[in-house]
Structure formats: structure tokens, C-alpha cells
Amino acid sequence: MSGEQELGITESKEHSTGEWYAEVVQKAELADYAPMGGFIVTRPRGYAIWERIQDHLDGWFKETGVDNAYFPMFIPESYLEREKDVVEGFDPEVAWVTHGGYDELEERLAVRPTSESIITPFIADWVRSHRDLPMRLNQWCSVVRWEATETKPFFRTKEFLWQEGHTAHRDEDGAWDETMTRLDQYERLYEDVMAMPALKGRKPEHDKFPGAHTTTTIETLMPDGKSVQAATSHYLGTSFAEAFDITYADEDEEDQTAHTTSWGLSWRSMGALIMLHSDDQGLVLPPTLAPTQVVIVPIWQEDNKEEVVEYAADAAAELDEAGIRVNLDDRDNRNPGFKYNEWELKGVPLRIEVGPNEVDDDELTLVHRPDGENSVEDRADIGDTVEDHLDTVYAKLYASAEETLEGEIREADSREEILGTIGQHGGYVKTGWCGDEDCEEPIKDALAAEIVMVPLDRDEDPVHDDCAICGEDARVTAYWAKSY
């Protein structure tokens, strides 16, 4: 296979989304498949994107009182069983360690599917007084959920990277404020860093995190009309505090039960980012997350090579000095066309072309990755000029994603209309809903669609007076969609 054939994307995003996505992930050098089914190897370019997501969130967490910690990846079975809802919710997905070397363990150890059961007992030990609250802990780690589904890098793997926050508070108001603070930070990440408009809501009662009082969610829409649960923030009430005895002495030295939260975002966010923005030429990344924001490609003949490359190198040095992540591609063994295709495939947001004409005129030609728009700019103040163009690229990505979302929220008032709308268009369908889980089954069975969220405001009037499925009085608006 030639270099050109190896480089290009051969699948169509519109017509074979799954195959196209897998090809982009591998050919853009983000990840490879591991020898064990359900696992992936994250390559440096892929991990660099995850690190930038981490950096943004971690900074915001610390600005709002969160401390990072690390807890063991193994959880004793007895700890997991102390919160019965967690056991029931995660039991089919738990990987168990039964032996250490040749010796059978006295107690099975769960490979963490989530860490409430190992973190909460320590919070209980560390909290004594109201002065110890609020306590806010976060850890960046991997978790394992043994789901027997087809591997989809970053979307669906048995092991995945994430952050999980765990906090304890004096009362419901403090814990609810915490829940919403984290949900707002996740929304900020998607809107301001990932160029992805997001919907905020809460999960229906039957789809809450096991043991939670309320699960809030960020949902994002993919081009194929499927929704992605992009982050969740849970108000756990007192269920975990009661199970693990998190109590504190109040100002009157009376024992009180704490209220707790947990909240998390995984590398599924990367999967959504890749799928939403990328195209048939390869990966598309917002400048905020791109490992390389600008590539400079000098175009020379033998008689002007030195002059062109020096001009390009000076521009690269100036951009680097301005804090822009820039790469000068002055390889001799690849022609400019190959370089253009390669850097487009790898998702570099902005390309700068430098030929003898640019050198003579003291200019640079700038090309935007999302749409190929190009403009000729003065060489002077190139740092500010490039920053402006990167902002424009981000705005283009957001506008395109916003257009996708806004056109894909529809209404329906019957089972047939829900099935017809999702079947034909995908996207979200809003209906009245009585709140009964049984009303979800006819849509789930027929179309594998479900209620992905309801409004955050419990007092908000439903979009229709009657439940679209059973005809009883509607209690809430349901957002139906197929989902990843």
C-alpha cells in the first residue's frame, strides 16, 4: 500500500459512521486496539488531548475548593456490599480478583467500577466536626466495567480513563450547590473548550446513578442523531453517608448525617469530540485542545529553498514565543500536497503556507482546517493574527455543531410519532411523560431509543398535557433519543 493510500480516510462519515470513526481514531494516531477485546492503547497524540481536557477541568476544580487524592484500584467485596444499590447497579459489570499469585484471597477484590465504596469510608474517618466540611476530593484514574459490547475507542471500552469527584457537606443545600457547580463546569468545558453545545438536564428516576437522590447530566448530539451522555453530577442525599456512617458534630455538638455528591467525566468526551467535528479528510480539533495548533509548510524550489525555509522558521519561532503550539514541517522527503493531507488527517486547526511569493511580499497564506478557507496576511504581528484565526476556527466549529443541535430537537405527542420522528431523523424528541418507566419500554423495544433526560427544574410544566405513550396526565417533559 502506498503512503498516500495509507494516509487517507476511505470510509464515509455520513454512510458508514462506525467504520469511519474507527478509521479516524487509528489513522490520526489517537489509539490502537489492544490484544484483549474491549481495551485500547492510547497513543501520545490521543493522550495529549486528554491531558488538555484534564488541565482545564483540574484548574477549575482547584479554584473551587477541590483537592486531588488517589485511592486503591481494588475494593474489598465487603465494602462494595455496604451500599446495596451500588452492588445491584454494577454487579454484572464488576471484574473480580480472586488470587494473588498462587494463593486464593480470603476476600474477593473488585477492580473499581466507581469509587464511592472505597472513598466514602475514608471521608467518614476524616470528618469529625462541621469544621471539616465541606470536604471535596477528586481523583484522576481508570475504572473497569466488564460490558460485553463491541469496542468503540473512547466511547465503549472495558477500561476507561476519567475523573471522579466525591464530596461531603453539612446539608442538602450545600450538596446541591456542589452538584450544580460541577455540572456547570462540565457545560463550560463542552461549550468553551470543546466547541460543543450541550443540553443540561437530569436523568429519569429509573436511570439515576445507583443510590443517588438525583443524577444530573450533560447531553450532546452527534451528527448521526444519537445522544452522548457527556458528563454526570450526582446528588447522593444521605444514602451513602448512612451506609458508611459519615456524621459530624454540629455547633451544638449534636451528631448530624452528612449529604454527599459524586461527579465524573470520562474520555467518552474525547469520543464525542472526534465524532462531532471530524470529517472525511480525518480528524478535526478545536484549537483549544489540538496538540499542534499550527503547522507551517514551506514550499520551495532548489534555487530558493534556503530563503523560504529560513523565512518559515522565523515565523515558527515567533509563534512559539507567543505560546502557540506550532510545528515547522520542513521534511525533504515529502511534497507539500502530502504534508497538507497528513496534517489535515491529524486535525491541525491552521496551516500556514510559505512559498517564494510569500517571502517576496512579506506575507503568509493561512488555511483553516474545517472548511479550507484561506487568506493572505501580513507577516508583521503574526502572533496576534494567528490567534484571531484560531478563534475564528473555534467559532466555525461551534456554529456548525450548534446548527446540528438546534435542528434536531423536535416534539411528538404519540408513540407512533416518537417512533417515526426518531426513526426518520434521529435527534431529540420532546414529549409529555407520566413518569412511569413502563412507558419507555415500547420505544426501547421498537427502536432502542430511551428517555435520555428530563428538565432540571422539577416544577417546569411538561411540553404536553398528556403522556405520549399511555395518555395519562403528563408530569414532566421527556427527551427521547438513541444514545451511545
Side-chain angles (χ1 to χ4, degrees):
M1 184 180 285
S2 75
E4 295 284 354
Q5 288 174 312
E6 288 177 5
L7 193 62
I9 300 297
T10 60
E11 299 289 350
S12 162
K13 180 177 184 177
E14 181 180 356
H15 300 296
S16 51
T17 306
E19 293 82 359
W20 163 85
Y21 174 83
E23 192 177 16
V24 169
V25 166
Q26 288 188 282
K27 289 189 173 179
E29 298 177 359
L30 303 180
D32 271 325
Y33 292 92
M36 319 81 70
F39 294 83
I40 62 171
V41 175
T42 309
R43 299 185 66 175
R45 289 185 61 78
Y47 199 81
I49 299 169
W50 178 241
E51 284 182 312
R52 296 197 178 282
I53 291 172
Q54 273 187 295
D55 288 346
H56 284 282
L57 274 183
D58 203 58
W60 299 339
F61 292 162
K62 288 170 179 171
E63 288 170 6
T64 46
V66 179
D67 294 311
N68 282 337
Y70 187 80
F71 291 80
M73 70 183 295
F74 298 127
I75 302 174
E77 186 171 15
S78 58
Y79 276 58
L80 209 60
E81 289 178 341
R82 287 171 71 177
E83 220 301 335
K84 60 179 176 58
D85 289 326
V86 169
V87 177
E88 293 170 3
F90 285 105
D91 190 53
E93 302 175 0
V94 176
W96 293 100
V97 177
T98 59
H99 287 73
Y102 296 111
D103 300 323
E104 186 171 352
L105 303 179
E106 290 184 10
E107 180 179 12
R108 291 197 302 174
L109 299 177
V111 183
R112 61 178 168 228
T114 182
S115 298
E116 280 79 3
S117 299
I118 190 71
I119 292 177
T120 311
F122 285 91
I123 293 178
D125 285 345
W126 299 337
V127 169
R128 289 286 175 265
S129 160
H130 64 92
R131 297 180 185 87
D132 298 321
L133 296 173
M135 181 171 287
R136 299 182 177 98
L137 303 176
N138 176 66
Q139 72 170 353
W140 295 92
C141 63
S142 71
V143 293
V144 172
R145 296 180 186 173
W146 213 265
E147 298 172 291
T149 55
E150 183 182 353
T151 306
K152 194 178 193 70
F154 306 117
F155 274 115
R156 189 69 66 187
T157 50
K158 289 185 170 71
E159 180 189 27
F160 55 89
L161 298 181
W162 77 346
Q163 59 75 213
E164 50 178 320
H166 301 268
T167 71
H169 304 263
R170 296 175 59 168
D171 53 30
E172 179 177 350
D173 287 346
W176 181 249
D177 286 347
E178 178 77 17
T179 303
M180 295 310 298
T181 293
R182 304 310 157 198
L183 192 71
D184 289 344
Q185 287 176 334
Y186 293 142
E187 180 186 38
R188 178 183 175 190
L189 178 77
Y190 280 97
E191 297 267 349
D192 296 350
V193 178
M194 301 177 72
M196 297 173 65
L199 297 178
K200 281 197 300 189
R202 57 186 170 88
K203 289 296 183 182
E205 291 297 304
H206 61 269
D207 196 25
K208 297 184 302 186
F209 178 79
H213 176 281
T214 303
T215 288
T216 66
T217 182
I218 297 289
E219 300 286 328
T220 60
L221 189 67
M222 298 296 98
D224 60 359
K226 291 183 181 179
S227 184
V228 173
Q229 179 182 291
T232 50
S233 183
H234 316 286
Y235 167 52
L236 301 176
T238 57
S239 61
F240 280 84
E242 289 165 357
F244 293 96
D245 196 28
I246 305 180
T247 59
Y248 65 93
D250 65 16
E251 289 91 336
D252 299 321
E253 294 301 317
E254 297 288 331
D255 279 350
Q256 304 291 343
T257 301
H259 291 247
T260 64
T261 78
S262 66
W263 26 275
L265 175 138
S266 78
W267 68 13
R268 182 183 293 181
S269 57
M270 283 178 55
L273 176 87
I274 296 160
M275 182 170 283
L276 178 61
H277 293 312
S278 302
D279 59 25
D280 287 350
Q281 280 67 56
L283 182 66
V284 177
L285 293 173
T288 41
L289 294 175
T292 302
Q293 295 172 303
V294 178
V295 62
I296 300 179
V297 180
I299 307 159
W300 67 78
Q301 304 294 331
E302 279 308 314
D303 61 345
N304 55 33
K305 176 180 177 180
E306 184 176 345
E307 184 182 9
V308 169
V309 171
E310 182 180 351
Y311 184 88
D314 286 346
E318 187 171 332
L319 292 177
D320 183 63
E321 184 70 24
I324 293 165
R325 299 185 292 278
V326 61
N327 181 63
L328 173 63
D329 188 350
D330 57 357
R331 292 175 292 174
D332 284 328
N333 60 336
R334 296 296 189 193
N335 63 42
F338 182 94
K339 294 176 183 179
Y340 296 167
N341 290 333
E342 180 178 14
W343 293 111
E344 284 181 2
L345 172 63
K346 291 181 176 179
V348 175
L350 188 66
R351 181 174 77 241
I352 297 179
E353 300 171 4
V354 175
N357 290 339
E358 282 80 8
V359 175
D360 290 344
D361 297 335
D362 204 24
E363 294 174 337
L364 297 166
T365 298
L366 279 58
V367 184
H368 295 182
R369 168 64 181 89
D371 57 6
E373 180 185 348
N374 66 78
S375 63
V376 177
E377 303 286 357
D378 289 337
R379 168 68 179 80
D381 301 320
I382 189 58
D384 291 341
T385 301
V386 164
E387 289 283 9
D388 288 344
H389 278 267
L390 292 176
D391 289 344
T392 300
V393 168
Y394 189 95
K396 286 179 177 180
L397 292 178
Y398 188 90
S400 175
E402 189 172 42
E403 186 177 337
T404 296
L405 176 62
E406 287 177 350
E408 296 294 336
I409 302 177
R410 302 176 176 87
E411 293 184 13
D413 56 15
S414 69
R415 173 185 179 276
E416 292 71 27
E417 200 174 350
I418 296 171
L419 292 173
T421 303
I422 294 179
Q424 181 178 355
H425 302 288
Y428 298 106
V429 174
K430 296 164 59 175
T431 73
W433 178 46
C434 64
D436 188 339
E437 181 181 359
D438 289 343
C439 284
E440 191 181 53
E441 293 308 311
I443 307 301
K444 224 179 212 181
D445 293 344
L447 208 59
E450 60 188 353
I451 299 169
V452 296
M453 71 172 217
V454 297
L456 275 174
D457 184 357
R458 294 177 185 270
D459 297 325
E460 182 178 311
D461 290 336
V463 65
H464 300 133
D465 293 336
D466 301 327
C467 176
I469 305 299
C470 69
E472 296 292 323
D473 289 345
R475 292 174 46 214
V476 69
T477 298
Y479 286 73
W480 301 79
K482 292 183 177 182
S483 59
Y484 278 101

